[in-house]
Amino acid sequence: MTGPPITELTSRAREIFRLVVEGYLENGTPMGSKALTAGMGLSSASIRSVLADLEGLGLLAAPHTSAGRLPTEAGLRLFVDGIMQVAEPTLEERAVIESRIAAPGPVEAALEATSALLSSLSSGAGVVMVPRREPRLVHLQLVPLAPGRALAVLVGEDGAVENRVLDLPPDLPPGALEEASNYISAHLGGRTLSEAGRAMRAAIASGRTALDAASRDLVERGLAVWTQDTLHRPVLIVRGQANLLDEVAISDLERVRSLLDDLENKQSVADLLDMAREAESTRIFIGSENRLFALSGSSVIASPYRDREGRVVGVVGVIGPTRLNYARVVPMVDFTARSLGKLIR
C-alpha cells in the first residue's frame, strides 16, 4: 500500500488531492469534479484529468463509474505523512483532558475516564491499555464486616485505595485480623503483590515469622484476593463503540458488524496496540495496514504513555473509520498520553 512520494505530485495535483481527502474526511462521501472547481480556476475537464492521474497512481478510487473520487488507503497514508497539518488541542480541550484524568480516585478510574474522554473528543471508540505492572503496597488493613467476612483495604504507593470482601475461616481467634494487618504493613510494604507473596511464603517456610496459623492464613488470603484480581483484570478498556454507528457507517452494515466483532476480541486489540509501545510518538494504522481491522477498513491512532521514570507502561488510542479527523485526533491522543503519564508512578 505504497504510493508515490508527495514531491512527485505537481502543485495542482497536490492541491486537488488535498481537497478530495479533506472532503472525504469531513463528509465521508466521494468528491466530484464539479465540487472541486470552486476556487480552483480550472475547468471540470482539467480537474477530471488530474483526478484520473491520481487514480492511476493508486491514490484515489471511484466507488462507481459516475461517482466522484475517494482516497485509497495509500492515498490516506500519503496525506497523513506528507500533507496533513495537525491542529493542536485548544486550551479548553487541554483543560478538560487534564481535569478528567487527574480527578481523585484509583488509577483504574483515571483509565476509564481517559477511554471515555478520547471517545467523546474524537467521535470514535476510545481505548486504553492497562499498565502491565502491579501496584506496590503501602498499607493493607483487614476490617471485620460480619461473621465470616472482612473488608481488605489496600493502599498503594500511587495513592490508589481499593477494597475487596474477604471470606474468613471459621472460629477465627480474636485479634487475628489486626495481627495479620500489622504484619503485612510492617514487613511487606513497598513490595508488589507478587513480591510480597514470595517473601511471605519464604518467611513461613523458614520459620522466620512468629505468626500463628490463623494469622498466616489471613495474610495469604489478603494478598491472594489482589493477586488473582490483577491476573484477571482486563488488559484493555474500550468505550464509545456506539460512536462508530454513524449514518455513513450504517450504510455498510457488514463493515460495522466486522468492526464490532473485532472490538469484542480485546486481547487481539491489545496485541495491535502493543505495536505502538516502542514508538517515540503517536502511530497511525490505516485500514489493511493492520490485519485485525483489515476487513472492517478501520484506522487506529495510538500513543504510548509512560510513568514518571520514563518507562512505557501502556497505550492510549482511538479506533474509528478510515475517515477519522487525523489532524485533530493525532495531537489529541498524544497530549492525552502525556497527561496520563503524569499520573502513573
Side-chain angles (χ1 to χ4, degrees), residues 24 27-28 70 73 76 123-125 241-264 285-288 290 292-300 319-324 326:
Y24 167 73
N27 303 311
L70 295 172
E73 291 181 4
L76 286 173
S123 298
Q241 292 96 319
N243 285 343
L244 304 174
L245 304 178
D246 60 12
E247 293 181 3
V248 176
I250 291 176
S251 65
D252 188 354
L253 291 179
E254 190 58 37
R255 187 190 71 79
V256 171
R257 188 178 296 110
S258 176
L259 174 57
L260 295 180
D261 287 344
D262 290 338
L263 288 175
E264 283 298 312
F285 304 92
I286 300 175
S288 59
N290 67 83
L292 177 62
F293 294 114
L295 293 179
S296 63
S298 304
S299 289
V300 179
I319 299 172
T322 54
R323 61 183 188 85
L324 274 171
Y326 299 94

Coordinates of all heavy atoms in Angstrom, one line a residue, residues 24 27-28 70 73 76 123-125 241-264 285-288 290 292-300 319-324 326:
Y24 N -13.5 14.1 1.9 CA -13.9 12.7 2.3 C -13.8 12.6 3.9 O -14.7 12.0 4.5 CB -12.9 11.7 1.7 CG -13.0 10.3 2.3 CD1 -14.1 9.5 2.1 CD2 -12.0 9.8 3.1 CE1 -14.2 8.2 2.6 CE2 -12.1 8.6 3.7 CZ -13.2 7.8 3.4 OH -13.3 6.5 4.0
N27 N -16.9 14.5 5.2 CA -18.3 14.1 4.9 C -18.4 12.6 4.6 O -19.5 12.1 4.6 CB -18.8 14.8 3.6 CG -18.8 16.3 3.8 OD1 -19.3 16.9 4.8 ND2 -18.2 17.0 2.8
G28 N -17.3 11.9 4.4 CA -17.4 10.5 4.1 C -17.9 10.2 2.7 O -18.3 9.0 2.5
L70 N -12.7 8.9 -4.1 CA -12.4 8.7 -2.6 C -10.9 8.4 -2.5 O -10.3 7.8 -3.4 CB -13.1 7.6 -2.0 CG -14.7 7.7 -2.0 CD1 -15.2 6.3 -1.5 CD2 -15.1 8.8 -1.0
E73 N -6.4 3.7 0.7 CA -5.6 3.6 1.9 C -4.2 4.2 1.7 O -3.6 4.9 2.5 CB -5.5 2.2 2.4 CG -6.8 1.7 3.0 CD -6.8 0.2 3.5 OE1 -5.6 -0.3 3.4 OE2 -7.8 -0.3 3.9
L76 N -4.6 7.9 1.8 CA -4.7 8.4 3.1 C -3.3 8.4 3.8 O -3.0 9.3 4.6 CB -5.7 7.6 3.9 CG -7.2 7.8 3.6 CD1 -8.0 6.7 4.3 CD2 -7.6 9.2 4.0
S123 N -15.1 11.2 18.5 CA -16.3 10.6 17.9 C -15.9 9.2 17.4 O -16.6 8.7 16.5 CB -16.8 11.4 16.8 OG -17.3 12.7 17.3
G124 N -14.9 8.6 18.0 CA -14.6 7.2 17.7 C -14.7 6.4 19.0 O -15.4 6.8 19.9
A125 N -14.1 5.2 19.0 CA -14.0 4.4 20.2 C -12.7 4.7 20.9 O -11.6 4.6 20.3 CB -14.1 2.9 19.8
Q241 N -18.1 2.5 21.6 CA -18.4 1.8 20.4 C -19.6 2.3 19.6 O -19.6 2.3 18.4 CB -18.6 0.3 20.7 CG -17.4 -0.4 21.2 CD -17.4 -0.5 22.8 OE1 -17.7 0.5 23.4 NE2 -17.0 -1.6 23.3
A242 N -20.5 2.9 20.3 CA -21.7 3.4 19.6 C -21.4 4.5 18.7 O -22.1 4.8 17.7 CB -22.8 3.8 20.7
N243 N -20.3 5.3 19.0 CA -19.9 6.4 18.1 C -19.6 5.9 16.7 O -19.6 6.7 15.8 CB -18.7 7.1 18.7 CG -19.0 8.0 19.9 OD1 -20.2 8.3 20.1 ND2 -18.0 8.3 20.6
L244 N -19.3 4.6 16.5 CA -18.9 4.1 15.2 C -20.1 3.9 14.3 O -20.0 3.6 13.2 CB -18.1 2.8 15.4 CG -16.9 2.9 16.3 CD1 -16.3 1.5 16.5 CD2 -15.9 3.8 15.7
L245 N -21.3 4.0 14.9 CA -22.5 3.7 14.2 C -23.2 5.0 13.6 O -24.3 5.3 13.9 CB -23.5 2.9 15.0 CG -23.0 1.6 15.6 CD1 -24.1 1.0 16.5 CD2 -22.6 0.7 14.6
D246 N -22.4 5.8 12.8 CA -23.0 7.0 12.3 C -23.7 6.6 11.0 O -23.8 5.5 10.5 CB -21.9 8.0 12.0 CG -20.8 7.5 11.1 OD1 -21.0 6.5 10.4 OD2 -19.8 8.2 11.0
E247 N -24.3 7.6 10.3 CA -25.1 7.3 9.1 C -24.3 6.7 8.0 O -24.8 5.8 7.3 CB -25.8 8.6 8.7 CG -26.8 9.2 9.6 CD -27.5 10.5 9.1 OE1 -27.2 10.9 8.0 OE2 -28.3 11.1 9.8
V248 N -23.1 7.2 7.8 CA -22.3 6.7 6.8 C -21.9 5.2 7.0 O -22.0 4.3 6.2 CB -21.0 7.5 6.6 CG1 -20.1 6.9 5.5 CG2 -21.4 8.9 6.2
A249 N -21.6 4.9 8.3 CA -21.2 3.5 8.7 C -22.4 2.6 8.5 O -22.2 1.5 8.0 CB -20.6 3.5 10.1
I250 N -23.5 3.0 9.0 CA -24.7 2.1 8.9 C -25.1 1.7 7.5 O -25.7 0.7 7.3 CB -25.9 2.8 9.7 CG1 -25.6 2.9 11.2 CG2 -27.2 2.1 9.4 CD1 -26.6 3.6 12.0
S251 N -24.7 2.5 6.5 CA -25.0 2.2 5.1 C -24.1 1.0 4.7 O -24.4 0.4 3.7 CB -24.6 3.4 4.2 OG -23.2 3.7 4.2
D252 N -23.1 0.6 5.5 CA -22.3 -0.6 5.2 C -22.3 -1.5 6.4 O -21.4 -1.5 7.2 CB -20.9 -0.2 4.9 CG -20.0 -1.3 4.4 OD1 -20.5 -2.5 4.4 OD2 -18.9 -1.1 3.9
L253 N -23.5 -2.2 6.6 CA -23.7 -2.9 7.9 C -22.7 -4.0 8.0 O -22.3 -4.4 9.1 CB -25.1 -3.5 7.9 CG -26.2 -2.5 8.0 CD1 -27.6 -3.2 8.0 CD2 -26.1 -1.7 9.3
E254 N -22.2 -4.6 6.9 CA -21.2 -5.7 7.0 C -19.9 -5.2 7.6 O -19.3 -5.9 8.4 CB -21.0 -6.3 5.6 CG -20.2 -7.6 5.7 CD -20.8 -8.7 6.5 OE1 -22.1 -8.8 6.5 OE2 -20.1 -9.4 7.3
R255 N -19.5 -4.0 7.2 CA -18.3 -3.4 7.7 C -18.4 -3.1 9.2 O -17.5 -3.4 10.0 CB -17.9 -2.1 7.0 CG -16.5 -1.6 7.4 CD -16.3 -0.2 6.9 NE -17.1 0.8 7.5 CZ -16.9 1.3 8.7 NH1 -15.8 0.9 9.4 NH2 -17.6 2.2 9.3
V256 N -19.6 -2.6 9.6 CA -19.9 -2.3 11.0 C -19.8 -3.6 11.8 O -19.3 -3.6 12.9 CB -21.2 -1.5 11.2 CG1 -21.6 -1.4 12.6 CG2 -21.1 -0.2 10.5
R257 N -20.5 -4.6 11.3 CA -20.5 -5.9 12.1 C -19.1 -6.4 12.3 O -18.8 -6.9 13.3 CB -21.4 -6.9 11.3 CG -21.7 -8.2 12.1 CD -22.6 -9.1 11.3 NE -23.9 -8.5 11.1 CZ -24.3 -8.1 9.9 NH1 -23.6 -8.2 8.8 NH2 -25.5 -7.6 9.8
S258 N -18.3 -6.3 11.2 CA -16.9 -6.8 11.3 C -16.1 -6.0 12.4 O -15.4 -6.6 13.2 CB -16.3 -6.7 10.0 OG -14.9 -7.1 10.0
L259 N -16.3 -4.7 12.4 CA -15.6 -3.8 13.3 C -16.0 -4.1 14.7 O -15.2 -4.3 15.6 CB -15.9 -2.4 13.0 CG -15.3 -1.3 14.0 CD1 -13.8 -1.5 14.1 CD2 -15.7 0.1 13.5
L260 N -17.3 -4.3 15.0 CA -17.8 -4.5 16.4 C -17.3 -5.9 16.8 O -17.0 -6.1 18.0 CB -19.3 -4.4 16.4 CG -19.9 -3.0 16.2 CD1 -21.4 -3.0 16.3 CD2 -19.3 -2.0 17.2
D261 N -17.2 -6.9 15.9 CA -16.7 -8.2 16.3 C -15.2 -8.1 16.6 O -14.8 -8.7 17.6 CB -16.9 -9.2 15.1 CG -18.3 -9.6 14.9 OD1 -19.1 -9.4 15.8 OD2 -18.6 -10.2 13.8
D262 N -14.5 -7.3 15.9 CA -13.1 -7.1 16.2 C -12.9 -6.5 17.6 O -12.0 -6.8 18.3 CB -12.4 -6.2 15.1 CG -12.3 -6.8 13.8 OD1 -12.3 -8.1 13.8 OD2 -12.2 -6.1 12.8
L263 N -13.7 -5.5 17.9 CA -13.6 -4.8 19.2 C -13.9 -5.7 20.4 O -13.4 -5.5 21.5 CB -14.5 -3.6 19.2 CG -14.1 -2.4 18.4 CD1 -15.1 -1.3 18.4 CD2 -12.7 -1.9 18.8
E264 N -14.8 -6.7 20.1 CA -15.1 -7.7 21.2 C -13.9 -8.5 21.6 O -13.8 -9.0 22.7 CB -16.2 -8.6 20.7 CG -17.6 -7.9 20.8 CD -18.0 -7.5 22.2 OE1 -17.8 -8.4 23.1 OE2 -18.4 -6.4 22.4
F285 N -2.4 3.5 12.2 CA -2.6 2.3 11.4 C -3.8 2.5 10.5 O -4.9 2.7 11.1 CB -2.8 1.0 12.2 CG -1.6 0.8 13.2 CD1 -1.7 1.3 14.5 CD2 -0.5 0.0 12.8 CE1 -0.6 1.0 15.4 CE2 0.5 -0.2 13.7 CZ 0.5 0.3 15.0
I286 N -3.7 2.5 9.2 CA -4.8 2.8 8.3 C -5.3 1.5 7.6 O -4.5 0.9 6.9 CB -4.4 3.8 7.3 CG1 -4.0 5.1 8.0 CG2 -5.6 4.1 6.3 CD1 -3.5 6.2 7.0
G287 N -6.5 1.1 7.9 CA -7.2 0.0 7.2 C -6.3 -1.3 7.2 O -6.0 -1.8 8.3
S288 N -6.0 -1.8 6.1 CA -5.3 -3.1 6.0 C -3.9 -3.1 6.4 O -3.2 -4.1 6.4 CB -5.4 -3.6 4.6 OG -4.8 -2.7 3.7
N290 N -3.1 -2.9 9.4 CA -3.2 -3.8 10.5 C -4.2 -4.9 10.1 O -5.3 -4.7 9.6 CB -3.6 -3.1 11.8 CG -5.0 -2.6 11.7 OD1 -6.0 -3.3 12.0 ND2 -5.2 -1.3 11.4
L292 N -5.9 -7.0 12.0 CA -7.1 -7.1 12.8 C -8.3 -6.4 12.1 O -9.4 -6.9 12.1 CB -6.9 -6.6 14.2 CG -8.1 -6.6 15.1 CD1 -8.6 -8.0 15.3 CD2 -7.7 -6.0 16.5
F293 N -8.0 -5.1 11.7 CA -9.1 -4.3 11.2 C -9.1 -4.2 9.7 O -9.7 -3.3 9.1 CB -9.0 -2.9 11.8 CG -9.3 -2.9 13.2 CD1 -8.3 -2.5 14.1 CD2 -10.5 -3.2 13.8 CE1 -8.5 -2.5 15.5 CE2 -10.8 -3.2 15.1 CZ -9.8 -2.8 16.0
A294 N -8.5 -5.2 9.0 CA -8.4 -5.1 7.5 C -9.8 -5.3 6.9 O -10.1 -4.6 5.9 CB -7.5 -6.2 7.0
L295 N -10.6 -6.1 7.4 CA -11.9 -6.4 6.8 C -12.9 -5.2 7.0 O -13.7 -4.8 6.2 CB -12.5 -7.7 7.3 CG -11.8 -9.0 6.9 CD1 -12.5 -10.2 7.6 CD2 -11.8 -9.1 5.4
S296 N -12.8 -4.6 8.2 CA -13.7 -3.5 8.5 C -13.2 -2.2 8.0 O -13.9 -1.2 8.0 CB -13.9 -3.4 10.0 OG -12.7 -3.1 10.7
G297 N -12.0 -2.1 7.5 CA -11.5 -0.9 6.9 C -11.4 0.2 7.9 O -11.8 1.4 7.7
S298 N -10.9 -0.1 9.1 CA -10.8 0.9 10.2 C -9.4 1.4 10.4 O -8.5 0.7 10.1 CB -11.4 0.3 11.5 OG -12.7 -0.2 11.3
S299 N -9.3 2.5 11.1 CA -8.0 3.1 11.4 C -7.8 3.1 13.0 O -8.8 3.2 13.7 CB -7.9 4.5 10.9 OG -7.7 4.5 9.5
V300 N -6.6 3.1 13.4 CA -6.2 3.1 14.8 C -5.1 4.2 15.0 O -4.1 4.2 14.2 CB -5.7 1.8 15.3 CG1 -5.3 1.8 16.7 CG2 -6.7 0.7 15.0
I319 N -10.0 4.2 17.9 CA -10.4 3.4 16.8 C -11.6 4.0 16.1 O -12.6 4.3 16.7 CB -10.6 1.9 17.2 CG1 -9.4 1.4 17.9 CG2 -11.0 1.1 16.1 CD1 -9.7 0.0 18.6
G320 N -11.5 4.0 14.8 CA -12.7 4.6 14.0 C -12.6 4.3 12.6 O -11.7 3.5 12.1
P321 N -13.5 4.8 11.8 CA -13.4 4.6 10.3 C -12.1 5.3 9.7 O -11.5 6.1 10.4 CB -14.7 5.2 9.8 CG -15.0 6.3 10.8 CD -14.6 5.7 12.1
T322 N -11.8 4.9 8.5 CA -10.6 5.5 7.9 C -10.8 7.0 7.7 O -9.8 7.7 7.5 CB -10.3 4.8 6.6 OG1 -11.4 4.9 5.7 CG2 -9.9 3.4 6.8
R323 N -12.0 7.5 7.8 CA -12.2 8.9 7.6 C -12.1 9.7 8.9 O -12.8 10.8 9.0 CB -13.5 9.2 6.8 CG -14.7 8.7 7.6 CD -16.0 9.0 6.7 NE -17.2 8.7 7.5 CZ -17.8 9.6 8.3 NH1 -17.2 10.8 8.5 NH2 -18.9 9.3 8.9
L324 N -11.4 9.2 9.9 CA -11.2 9.9 11.1 C -10.5 11.3 10.8 O -9.8 11.4 9.8 CB -10.2 9.1 12.0 CG -10.8 8.1 12.9 CD1 -9.7 7.3 13.6 CD2 -11.6 8.7 14.0
Y326 N -7.8 12.9 11.3 CA -6.5 12.6 11.8 C -5.8 13.9 12.3 O -5.1 13.8 13.3 CB -5.6 12.0 10.6 CG -6.1 10.7 10.1 CD1 -7.0 10.7 9.0 CD2 -5.8 9.5 10.7 CE1 -7.5 9.5 8.5 CE2 -6.3 8.3 10.2 CZ -7.1 8.3 9.1 OH -7.6 7.1 8.6

